[in-house]
């Protein structure tokens, strides 16, 4: 418990009166001291009684967006703290996050004015767990203040720390089993000509292929009609969104543009293909996968939930791809062999040895494996990677490489006016990584 | 016609006590009581909008209580109760029946202190008694607080 400024001043007066009463042997001063002491003591007892009543009446209800999440992904929490207020008592309620989590957005603190009735504080926020395991909320902190005193108490009884959140390690990221393929499509890379449903007929025009004439209908109407076939279009493109790091300044204008571009592409894809897959990454961290979603409203809701700067648990710094390193080693070997003079040969030798030593020490990051595992069940021939191209961008290489290996054409959409869009065809090298 | 504010019901008897003291025991201290009453009333009026009004009123009421108690301990007790009523009303601490009950208890404790002072010749004994009661209350409260916090902080 702490004294307010008013109480501190009264205590100073009490000390002054005690000193004067003791030194001057003045009973009148002592009487005044006694009155002030008993008055302050009475206020303390009243404050304590009100505080206890408030704390006893606190009830907490929390609802989570999901009970199980991945480490590093954000979780929507809605908390409602109900309590009975007290006259002349200011109450401040803080919903305490679980340990090892950070607040992504929203407010967890609310102050209320003195009121003896039932009060409800509602909090809506997003948090990001930084470690895996089962996490419980730390409870609720209640701060009470009146004219004379202020006090706070963290309520950590199990009734205030529910529900528990299960946080899965992000290193095991993979497509959830329920969303995986279950033999519904035998030929994953189906040809665009694999279906021959007739969706309409039209009259013959010179130059049309006579093999498509519908003879039965033509005989009926005495005019030549051609069949128009419908066939499935190619598979919907995979959309990969590289979210910026929340720990660094985010270019707001470019990020807004990226959001609108992603939303536009998602809408277009849903209209065209009636389903879509979106992968959210933030640097070398796989955050979330929307797999084969058919519901446009749910898709937009998920976009709204995830399209924010994200916390990064892992960072890359000039993390070169091993395939690139091997190709450089080969290139310098060839250059050394082809070098006609002995002047350039030592340079090529030195470069060759350098890249060889780097190759010997560098292992493939777990991120590449995660991307490969995540993308492998998705049937697509095309992918769009949206990135702001800020900070270290070597992870782009590790995203593009597994996709090109699976014969997926990657379009890197850089949301930066000064840079052009890049398209990476199947089997061709991806944009170079490194620090801009 | 609007009813008289609650503070005024305390002001009138307080003025009567101060004037009675000056008449019954004419001395410089008695006249000083009138001056201090005027100062208190002035501060009460001037400091209406100040954020530290409670402390300001307490500061200005202490010399008045001391002055009255110097003349007669029961006059001091009466002044203390009335001043407490004025300050409590001004700070909104006398609004409900519970507040009135608390104020009554405070007045009772003032009477007890006055009795204690009346039967004492020197400061030491009543000072020790007041300090002892205060320490006892604080000790009991600290034990209760410890148990309460233990229960609600999840340690119990």
């Amino acid at each position: 418990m702490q004294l307010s400024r008013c109480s501190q001043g009264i205590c100073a007066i009490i000390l002054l009166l005690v000193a004067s009463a003791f030194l001057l042997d003045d009973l009148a001063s002592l009487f005044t001291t006694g009155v002030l002491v008993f008055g302050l003591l009475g206020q303390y007892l009243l404050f304590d009684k009100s505080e206890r009543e408030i704390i006893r009446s606190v009830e907490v209800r929390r609802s989570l967006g999901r009970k199980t999440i991945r480490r590093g992904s954000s979780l929507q929490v809605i908390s409602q703290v109900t309590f009975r207020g007290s006259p002349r008592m200011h109450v401040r309620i803080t919903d305490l996050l679980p340990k090892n989590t950070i607040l992504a957005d929203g407010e967890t603190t609310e102050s209320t004015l003195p009121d003896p009735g039932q009060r409800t504080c509602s909090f809506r926020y997003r948090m990001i767990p930084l470690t895996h395991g089962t996490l419980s909320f730390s409870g609720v902190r209640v701060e009470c203040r009146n004219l004379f005193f202020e006090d706070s108490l963290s309520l950590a009884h199990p009734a205030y720390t529910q529900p528990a959140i299960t946080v899965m390690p992000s290193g095991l990221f993979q497509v959830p089993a329920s969303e995986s393929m279950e033999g519904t499509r035998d030929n994953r890379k189906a040809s665009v000509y694999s279906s021959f449903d007739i969706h309409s007929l039209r009259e013959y025009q010179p130059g049309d292929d006579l093999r498509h004439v519908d003879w039965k209908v033509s005989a009926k109407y005495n005019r030549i009609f051609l069949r128009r076939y419908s066939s499935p279009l190619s598979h919907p493109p995979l959309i990969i969104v590289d979210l910026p790091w929340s720990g660094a300044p985010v270019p707001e204008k470019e990020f807004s543009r990226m959001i609108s571009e992603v939303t536009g592409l998602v809408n277009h894809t849903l209209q065209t293909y009636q389903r879509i897959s979106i992968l959210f990454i933030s640097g070398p961290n796989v955050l979330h996968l929307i797999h084969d979603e058919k519901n446009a409203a749910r898709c937009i809701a998920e976009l709204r939930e995830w399209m924010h700067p994200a916390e990064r648990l892992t960072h890359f710094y000039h993390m070169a791809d091993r395939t690139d390193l091997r190709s450089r080693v080969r290139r310098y070997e060839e250059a050394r062999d082809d070098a006609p003079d002995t002047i350039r040969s030592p340079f090529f030798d030195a470069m060759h040895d350098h890249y060889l030593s780097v190759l010997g020490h560098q292992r493939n990051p777990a991120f590449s494996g995660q991307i490969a595992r995540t993308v492998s069940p998705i049937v697509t021939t095309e992918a769009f990677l949206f990135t702001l191209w800020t900070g270290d961008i070597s992870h782009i290489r590790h995203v593009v490489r597994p996709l090109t290996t699976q014969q997926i054409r990657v379009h890197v959409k850089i949301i930066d006016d000064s840079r052009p869009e890049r398209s990476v065809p199947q089997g061709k090298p991806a944009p170079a990584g490194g620090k801009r | 016609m609007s009813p008289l504010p609650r503070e005024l019901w305390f002001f009138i008897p307080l003025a009567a006590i101060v004037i009675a003291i000056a008449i019954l025991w004419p001395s410089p201290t008695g006249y000083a009581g009138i001056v201090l009453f005027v100062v208190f009333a002035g501060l009460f009026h001037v400091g209406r909008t100040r954020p530290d009004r409670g402390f300001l009123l307490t500061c200005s009421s202490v010399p008045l209580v001391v002055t009255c108690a110097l003349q007669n301990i029961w006059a001091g007790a009466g002044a203390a109760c009335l001043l407490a009523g004025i300050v409590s009303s001004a700070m909104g601490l006398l609004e409900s029946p519970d507040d009135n009950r608390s104020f009554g208890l405070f007045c009772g404790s003032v009477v007890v202190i006055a009795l204690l002072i009346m039967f004492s010749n020197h400061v030491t004994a009543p000072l020790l008694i007041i300090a002892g009661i205060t320490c006892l209350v604080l000790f009991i409260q600290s034990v209760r607080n410890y148990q309460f916090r233990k229960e609600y902080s999840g340690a119990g």
Side-chain angles (χ1 to χ4, degrees):
Chain A
M1 191 192 66
Q2 289 183 328
L3 300 174
S4 69
R5 279 182 61 200
C6 180
S7 301
Q8 287 172 0
I10 292 172
C11 286
I13 295 171
I14 288 170
L15 288 175
L16 210 65
L17 284 170
V18 167
S20 70
F22 199 73
L23 292 173
L24 304 173
D25 197 18
D26 181 18
L27 285 168
S29 298
L30 184 65
F31 170 73
T32 314
T33 305
V35 169
L36 285 178
V37 167
F38 276 53
L40 201 59
L41 215 55
Q43 284 298 330
Y44 168 55
L45 293 174
L46 287 174
F47 173 81
D48 189 62
K49 184 173 170 252
S50 299
E51 189 191 18
R52 280 166 195 258
E53 282 172 1
I54 289 169
I55 287 171
R56 282 198 186 103
S57 68
V58 170
E59 285 177 14
V60 183
R61 273 175 299 171
R62 289 192 190 89
S63 60
L64 308 175
R66 283 163 293 161
K67 290 233 168 147
T68 305
I69 55 164
R70 296 271 167 201
R71 188 182 72 170
S73 58
S74 71
L75 173 67
Q76 172 96 44
V77 182
I78 300 170
S79 294
Q80 279 198 329
V81 181
T82 313
F83 65 95
R84 185 170 288 282
S86 176
R88 297 187 295 277
M89 189 75 96
H90 294 261
V91 182
R92 187 181 163 95
I93 302 284
T94 307
D95 195 15
L96 301 175
L97 301 180
K99 284 177 184 168
N100 300 318
T101 56
I102 56 168
L103 185 68
D105 63 4
E107 287 291 328
T108 58
T109 301
E110 190 175 322
S111 299
T112 62
L113 292 171
D115 182 9
Q118 191 86 4
R119 304 296 301 264
T120 302
C121 297
S122 297
F123 307 106
R124 182 186 284 267
Y125 57 89
R126 305 184 65 78
M127 63 178 192
I128 299 171
L130 300 178
T131 56
H132 63 268
T134 303
L135 303 179
S136 290
F137 283 85
S138 301
V140 175
R141 184 162 64 241
V142 181
E143 294 169 64
C144 299
R145 175 171 59 85
N146 72 358
L147 186 64
F148 300 98
F149 303 99
E150 56 188 66
D151 195 16
S152 70
L153 178 61
S154 295
L155 309 181
H157 192 270
Y160 305 113
T161 58
Q162 298 298 327
I165 308 160
T166 306
V167 182
M168 307 294 286
S170 62
L172 297 175
F173 189 90
Q174 57 188 3
V175 180
S178 60
E179 293 180 5
S180 61
M181 306 300 295
E182 291 173 345
T184 52
R185 272 179 281 174
D186 293 328
N187 183 6
R188 291 183 177 188
K189 305 284 182 188
S191 160
V192 294
Y193 304 112
S194 62
S195 175
F196 296 101
D197 293 331
I198 301 163
H199 79 88
S200 63
L201 296 165
R202 69 167 173 84
E203 279 196 49
Y204 172 78
Q205 289 176 349
D208 282 339
D209 192 345
L210 289 175
R211 288 177 298 177
H212 295 160
V213 172
D214 190 329
W215 295 112
K216 199 172 176 181
V217 175
S218 302
K220 186 177 177 183
Y221 293 101
N222 205 21
R223 281 183 296 176
I224 298 177
F225 280 92
L226 265 70
R227 288 172 177 167
R228 295 189 71 187
Y229 298 100
S230 68
S231 62
L233 294 168
S234 56
H235 299 284
L238 167 67
I239 297 172
I240 303 170
V241 185
D242 181 21
L243 297 168
W245 181 33
S246 60
V250 178
E252 294 291 338
K253 191 179 157 195
E254 281 84 355
F255 189 53
S256 303
R257 210 183 114 201
M258 184 166 98
I259 291 171
S260 59
E261 285 199 16
V262 169
T263 312
L265 183 60
V266 166
N267 280 330
H268 173 75
T269 308
L270 278 170
Q271 282 170 7
T272 312
Y273 301 96
Q274 282 77 48
R275 57 197 168 86
I276 193 167
S277 296
I278 309 171
L279 176 64
F280 292 96
I281 62 170
S282 178
N285 301 275
V286 181
L287 302 181
H288 184 60
L289 173 69
I290 303 171
H291 186 218
D292 235 9
E293 182 60 62
K294 297 177 181 69
N295 188 329
R298 202 182 303 152
C299 199
I300 295 298
E302 291 242 38
L303 275 182
R304 204 172 288 146
E305 182 185 346
W306 285 95
M307 287 294 278
H308 302 285
E311 185 62 27
R312 289 184 182 178
L313 301 172
T314 314
H315 294 264
F316 276 179
Y317 184 72
H318 290 265
M319 178 70 84
D321 186 57
R322 277 178 66 83
T323 313
D324 293 341
L325 288 172
R326 275 194 290 270
S327 67
R328 283 184 189 179
V329 168
R330 275 198 300 275
R331 199 189 314 154
Y332 282 112
E333 268 178 0
E334 287 167 9
R336 183 185 58 192
D337 295 341
D338 296 344
D341 48 36
T342 55
I343 299 167
R344 282 181 286 177
S345 182
F347 168 74
F348 292 134
D349 259 343
M351 293 305 288
H352 172 263
D353 293 345
H354 167 72
Y355 282 114
L356 204 59
S357 68
V358 173
L359 190 63
H361 289 99
Q362 188 161 314
R363 294 283 170 267
N364 260 337
F367 176 63
S368 300
Q370 287 175 15
I371 290 287
R373 281 198 299 276
T374 307
V375 170
S376 61
I378 300 171
V379 183
T380 186
T381 54
E382 204 171 25
F384 289 90
L385 170 58
F386 288 86
T387 177
L388 291 181
W389 206 263
T390 53
D392 187 275
I393 48 165
S394 41
H395 62 278
I396 301 285
R397 192 75 156 173
H398 295 270
V399 176
V400 172
R401 177 69 65 189
L403 294 172
T404 50
T405 308
Q406 294 182 34
Q407 303 298 309
I408 297 171
R409 185 185 175 88
V410 184
H411 304 273
V412 181
K413 295 260 186 185
I414 301 164
I415 314 297
D416 186 350
D417 294 337
S418 60
R419 284 175 176 273
E421 177 191 330
R422 293 191 180 196
S423 183
V424 185
Q426 298 163 6
K428 293 282 175 67
K435 186 105 175 157
R436 190 169 64 155
Chain B
M1 198 176 76
S2 60
L4 284 173
R6 191 188 286 258
E7 296 96 299
L8 206 62
W9 289 109
F10 292 109
F11 257 113
I12 294 165
L14 181 64
I17 286 175
V18 172
I19 292 166
I21 286 171
I23 293 168
L24 291 175
W25 296 281
S27 66
T29 317
Y31 303 138
I34 295 175
V35 174
L36 288 169
F37 174 74
V38 172
V39 169
F40 176 78
L43 280 173
F44 183 84
H45 182 72
V46 171
R48 278 177 192 281
T49 54
R50 289 188 65 90
D52 50 357
R53 192 183 184 205
F55 179 64
L56 205 66
L57 292 176
T58 310
C59 282
S60 58
S61 63
V62 164
L64 187 54
V65 175
V66 174
T67 310
C68 293
L70 275 173
Q71 298 294 333
N72 183 286
I73 193 69
W74 292 109
C81 291
L82 294 170
L83 283 165
I86 293 168
V87 175
S88 301
S89 301
M91 302 312 295
L93 303 177
L94 271 183
E95 286 175 348
S96 64
D98 280 349
D99 295 338
N100 291 334
R101 206 173 300 128
S102 304
F103 182 66
L105 277 173
F106 172 75
C107 292
S109 66
V110 170
V111 170
V112 171
I113 297 167
L115 281 172
L116 184 70
I117 298 293
M118 200 171 73
F119 292 109
S120 303
N121 292 324
H122 295 286
V123 164
T124 316
L127 182 63
L128 285 175
I129 291 170
I130 291 171
I133 292 170
T134 308
C135 289
L136 185 69
V137 171
L138 290 178
F139 174 73
I140 292 168
Q141 273 300 114
S142 62
V143 172
R144 285 182 69 215
N145 263 339
Y146 171 72
Q147 289 172 338
F148 183 77
R149 283 175 178 268
K150 194 175 162 188
E151 182 186 345
Y152 280 89
S153 64

